[in-house]
Amino acid sequence: MNHDYENRVHEIGNHDGSDSFVRTDSQSDHWIHSKHETAVGIDAPRKPRVLIADGNATVRKLIRWALRDDEYEIVEASNGPDAYVLATESPEPIAILLDANLGGGMTGHDVCRSLKDDLQFCKIPVIMLITIGSHEEISDAVEAGADEVLSKPIHRDELNIRIRSATRSQRESPASIDIESVTLTLAHLIAIKDGYSSGHAEQVANYAVAFGKSLGMDHEDLRLLRFGAMLHNIGKVSIPDAILEKTTALTPRERAIIHQHPRVGSDICVSLKQLEPVLPIIRHHKEHFDGTGFPDGLRGDQIPLKAQIVGIADVFSALTNDRSFRRAKTKLEAIEILKHRVIQGMHDPKLVEQFCQMILADSLPAADTPNREANLETSFAPIVSSSLQHST
């Protein structure tokens, strides 16, 4: 056991008036505090919850006392999977102290990424606990999405400062509406209007974030990418059901109405300050690389990168799912259609190539890929022809 931590535990315990510490198991580093705790009345307001996740019971005890646990409801986890479960239980913690080197099949970095990739939990502040404090450790923690980084051994004053810093916005404006809440509300609205768009938006978001990660985007860009993808079809609330559900080819007038949904979606969200960063994604995900897209006819690098990513993910998701007017394509068929759309000038060739490589790497045995692609090389033209008759 780390004697520095043990000494710090006794120091903090004595400072707070603890009667004693009792070791409960000679085979572990688990400690219990013997001072009687005050019972909480049934009508008492619930204390804010803090999650401490560290494999060392002594470290958890140190942090518990450093936090003055009479102010918080503190829950503990000793491994990654348990930490994730406790982080996602109701009520959500106001902060998570997460050891980078958690075991159990999920490191602290894994837990942090999983939380930050989830719209429901990504706003929970995560303070990553690291060992050495090297540049590499700090960089890894930031890349995983940590809001704060704290080196061991833990010092009481610094820990409380970091907790206050990480949770300041939540304490100062508990009733404020954040981008996640707005996104979830609007995504629910489009799901009511168009059942297909609900699952589609989530899938597009997953593809877009995975692609963004492969391109080296940072955590904040990935968050915005997810929110923009979730809302890319919000403008479809203005489209009549008869058009959305149509099983035959669209008329020119109907297609013109469909083509208005990026502009309408942007107009719907423009008055919401929280959504300002994702407006370019909503408005421009249907622009074409050669300038023939809509609504503004942007071309090349004029099209925001996040909008291009969502545009590619949007097409791929639409192609690989059943629609009212056709059956789903296989992933390989969808890849060939994307390649054809590049030839037509719709997408950045380099981005599509990288996206297809990601899809193939994730879904196909390496030995099968060349032959299966070769078999489709001569047959994708008719597939493309039938698939492009209806807007994706």
Side-chain angles (χ1 to χ4, degrees):
M1 184 178 68
N2 189 319
H3 293 289
D4 289 338
Y5 277 121
E6 185 176 353
N7 291 335
R8 288 284 292 166
V9 171
H10 283 285
E11 175 189 337
I12 291 174
N14 292 333
H15 179 78
D16 280 357
S18 307
D19 297 328
S20 63
F21 286 98
V22 180
R23 191 164 188 174
T24 60
D25 184 349
S26 61
Q27 301 303 314
S28 70
D29 288 339
H30 187 67
W31 296 81
I32 63 172
H33 181 214
S34 67
K35 186 169 71 175
H36 296 295
E37 296 182 359
T38 303
V40 178
I42 193 168
D43 295 325
R46 188 167 197 141
K47 293 186 290 187
R49 173 176 289 188
V50 173
L51 169 60
I52 304 170
D54 195 292
N56 188 319
T58 303
V59 176
R60 297 198 304 272
K61 179 61 66 176
L62 168 66
I63 296 173
R64 175 185 286 273
W65 281 108
L67 285 177
R68 304 178 181 93
D69 62 350
D70 59 325
E71 297 181 15
Y72 303 103
E73 175 191 350
I74 296 179
V75 292
E76 299 181 14
S78 60
N79 59 63
D82 286 350
Y84 182 78
V85 169
L86 289 172
T88 55
E89 283 184 346
S90 182
E92 296 170 8
I94 64 161
I96 300 172
L97 298 161
L98 192 61
D99 179 41
N101 298 313
L102 281 174
M106 288 183 78
T107 66
H109 297 132
D110 295 332
V111 174
C112 188
R113 289 190 189 95
S114 296
L115 294 172
K116 295 301 182 179
D117 285 345
D118 192 309
L119 283 174
Q120 184 175 351
F121 306 112
C122 62
K123 286 294 284 185
I124 302 175
V126 174
I127 300 175
M128 191 74 75
L129 307 179
I130 59 178
T131 306
I132 303 173
S134 66
H135 175 76
E136 183 179 2
E137 276 192 311
I138 295 172
S139 178
D140 289 344
V142 172
E143 189 277 332
D147 300 278
E148 296 274 351
V149 181
L150 193 58
S151 297
K152 299 177 183 178
I154 308 298
H155 296 284
R156 181 177 192 168
D157 291 341
E158 183 180 9
L159 175 60
N160 281 282
I161 289 171
R162 295 299 180 91
I163 287 282
R164 289 196 296 270
S165 173
T167 60
R168 180 178 293 115
S169 62
Q170 293 175 312
R171 295 195 314 274
E172 290 178 349
S173 55
S176 66
I177 301 175
D178 56 28
I179 186 172
E180 291 83 357
S181 300
V182 174
T183 299
L184 287 171
T185 300
L186 293 178
H188 181 64
L189 174 64
I190 185 59
I192 294 173
K193 169 72 174 179
D194 179 14
Y196 164 78
S197 288
S198 175
H200 169 69
E202 183 68 31
Q203 187 175 66
V204 171
N206 290 338
Y207 279 133
V209 169
F211 189 29
K213 286 181 179 178
S214 74
L215 296 177
M217 285 188 168
D218 63 25
H219 172 67
E220 182 60 22
D221 281 337
L222 293 175
R223 287 180 67 246
L224 297 179
L225 195 57
R226 178 173 290 280
F227 300 144
M230 290 293 296
L231 296 176
H232 76 281
N233 273 346
I234 186 64
K236 286 190 174 181
V237 298
S238 68
I239 300 174
D241 292 343
I243 296 178
L244 289 175
E245 298 169 3
K246 191 170 183 181
T247 58
T248 57
L250 298 176
T251 66
R253 178 179 174 277
E254 291 168 338
R255 187 173 292 278
I257 292 174
I258 287 281
H259 284 189
Q260 290 301 311
H261 83 267
R263 179 189 60 77
V264 172
S266 178
D267 291 345
I268 289 172
C269 298
V270 73
S271 61
L272 299 171
K273 184 176 179 61
Q274 297 90 339
L275 294 180
E276 184 177 350
V278 302
L279 292 180
I281 300 175
I282 298 170
R283 186 177 183 93
H284 298 305
H285 72 279
K286 286 295 187 182
E287 304 285 1
H288 291 168
F289 202 63
D290 63 359
T292 62
F294 53 90
D296 299 317
L298 301 184
R299 64 184 302 145
D301 292 338
Q302 292 177 332
I303 309 170
L305 176 59
K306 295 186 188 72
Q308 292 191 59
I309 290 172
V310 170
I312 294 170
D314 180 26
V315 171
F316 187 79
S317 172
L319 289 170
T320 53
N321 285 278
D322 289 336
R323 302 295 296 272
S324 60
F325 52 90
R326 58 146 176 81
R327 300 293 295 174
K329 306 299 179 186
T330 67
K331 288 185 176 182
L332 281 173
E333 289 171 336
I335 285 174
E336 293 305 323
I337 292 172
L338 277 176
K339 291 179 181 179
H340 189 74
R341 288 171 66 93
V342 167
I343 295 172
Q344 293 180 312
M346 296 182 181
H347 303 292
D348 182 335
K350 184 176 180 180
L351 281 180
V352 168
E353 180 183 1
Q354 291 172 306
F355 180 84
C356 293
Q357 287 175 349
M358 180 191 76
I359 296 297
L360 288 170
D362 288 345
S363 61
L364 292 176
D368 292 347
T369 302
N371 291 335
R372 296 180 70 179
E373 281 193 301
N375 292 337
L376 284 170
E377 194 66 37
T378 59
S379 61
F380 76 89
I383 296 172
V384 171
S385 178
S386 65
S387 297
L388 296 181
Q389 293 301 311
H390 211 290
S391 172
T392 58

